Amino acid sequence: MSDPAVPRRPTLDLRSLTPARVALGRSGASVPTRALLDFTLDHARARDAVHAVFDAPCLVADLRALGLVVTEARSQAVDRRDYLRRPDLGRQLDAGSVELLARHASEPCQLAVVIGDGLSAAAVHAHAVALVSHLLPLLAEGGDVAIRHVVVASGARVALGDEIGAILGARMVVTLIGERPGLSAPDSLGAYLTFAPKPGRTDAERNCVSNIHKAGLSHDEAAFKIAWLVREGMAREVTGVALKDESADRVPRRIGTALPE
């Protein structure tokens, strides 16, 4: 038993600070019924997010309403079952998409944006259009960066953006994609940036801005980080481990300006 003469330390309610499963309590050797039911519900939501239908036409319409030129494409994964069992197929365009994108690649461009369903179409539907709407004015500042192509890709893995970017002749590609659902965030969006995209690029050659969702990184915060990385990546001609995210400390430079001494 505790000594009544020793004052008890105030208990911090960690649950008010994080959506993670902390301070659940205990019922015998197990967790309370409420905690178990909450876990079961969140697990079901995560599974539903993985198998949710990707409404590409609706996404295309919303992006065109922002004044963007949008093209649809798809990977070699013929259905969701195929996509989940064969990750490699989600990294390669089908023949029809290669031909379609080649017709749109009239001349090289600075920036292409790929929006893919990934492992959570729910995340893309919830956040992609809002994020792009926040990103556009940040990129337009100074008139030195413009999104020339937007591609909505079904059955997409992150690396699909490399092939798309290469076909379109983009200096950089930003791939917005649904992240693997977690028990606290089934609708988390990720942004992956790759300079000089081409098939075979590795994850070490990309920058990632992740956890874009209601309880995570907000649309305006994520857009600022992405815009900073786009400008710095183009100025330095590199992304990945060689480009550290210092957006909280520095103002992004105009494209073509020299690095500070």
Side-chain angles (χ1 to χ4, degrees), residues 138-139 141 144 227-235 252-253 255:
L138 295 177
L139 293 176
E141 290 177 359
D144 53 350
W228 191 94
L229 289 167
V230 166
R231 291 175 182 275
E232 287 295 311
M234 287 187 178
R253 289 176 284 112
I255 303 304

Side-chain angles (χ1 to χ4, degrees), residues 211-235:
N211 292 312
I212 305 168
H213 57 90
K214 183 173 63 175
L217 203 62
S218 67
H219 298 147
D220 57 342
E221 291 173 320
F224 181 81
K225 285 180 175 290
I226 293 168
W228 191 94
L229 289 167
V230 166
R231 291 175 182 275
E232 287 295 311
M234 287 187 178

Side-chain angles (χ1 to χ4, degrees), residues 99-128:
E99 182 181 348
L100 176 64
L101 292 174
R103 293 201 301 267
H104 286 77
S106 55
E107 58 185 41
C109 67
Q110 283 188 311
L111 182 65
V113 173
V114 176
I115 302 176
D117 47 359
L119 287 166
S120 176
V124 181
H125 294 151
H127 307 296

Side-chain angles (χ1 to χ4, degrees), residues 28-143:
S30 186
V31 296
T33 300
R34 169 53 57 191
L36 177 61
L37 292 175
D38 288 344
F39 175 87
T40 303
L41 176 60
D42 288 342
H43 185 258
R45 286 171 173 162
R47 289 177 60 90
D48 287 348
V50 170
H51 295 282
V53 176
F54 185 44
D55 192 348
C58 180
L59 188 60
V60 168
D62 289 343
L63 290 165
R64 286 176 176 164
L66 297 177
L68 297 167
V69 176
V70 189
T71 306
E72 279 193 66
R74 67 169 305 108
S75 73
Q76 293 183 13
V78 297
D79 53 31
R80 200 62 178 170
R81 182 186 181 92
D82 205 26
Y83 173 83
L84 294 173
R85 291 188 170 190
R86 292 284 305 276
D88 58 309
L89 297 181
R91 303 184 184 108
Q92 304 170 69
L93 289 167
D94 68 5
S97 297
V98 171
E99 182 181 348
L100 176 64
L101 292 174
R103 293 201 301 267
H104 286 77
S106 55
E107 58 185 41
C109 67
Q110 283 188 311
L111 182 65
V113 173
V114 176
I115 302 176
D117 47 359
L119 287 166
S120 176
V124 181
H125 294 151
H127 307 296
V129 175
L131 178 57
V132 171
S133 68
H134 281 77
L135 183 60
L136 286 172
L138 295 177
L139 293 176
E141 290 177 359

Side-chain angles (χ1 to χ4, degrees), residues 200-216:
R201 289 293 190 198
T202 67
D203 289 340
E205 297 172 288
R206 315 184 206 283
N207 286 88
C208 176
V209 178
S210 62
N211 292 312
I212 305 168
H213 57 90
K214 183 173 63 175

Side-chain angles (χ1 to χ4, degrees), residues 157-211:
R157 299 279 176 173
V158 172
L160 191 69
D162 296 336
E163 184 178 4
I164 293 172
I167 293 173
L168 296 175
R171 288 189 72 208
M172 181 178 289
V173 64
V174 175
T175 300
L176 306 179
I177 196 165
E179 297 182 305
R180 186 183 304 276
L183 294 175
S184 59
D187 61 345
S188 180
L189 188 73
Y192 294 82
L193 299 86
T194 310
F195 183 80
K198 63 180 181 180
R201 289 293 190 198
T202 67
D203 289 340
E205 297 172 288
R206 315 184 206 283
N207 286 88
C208 176
V209 178
S210 62
N211 292 312

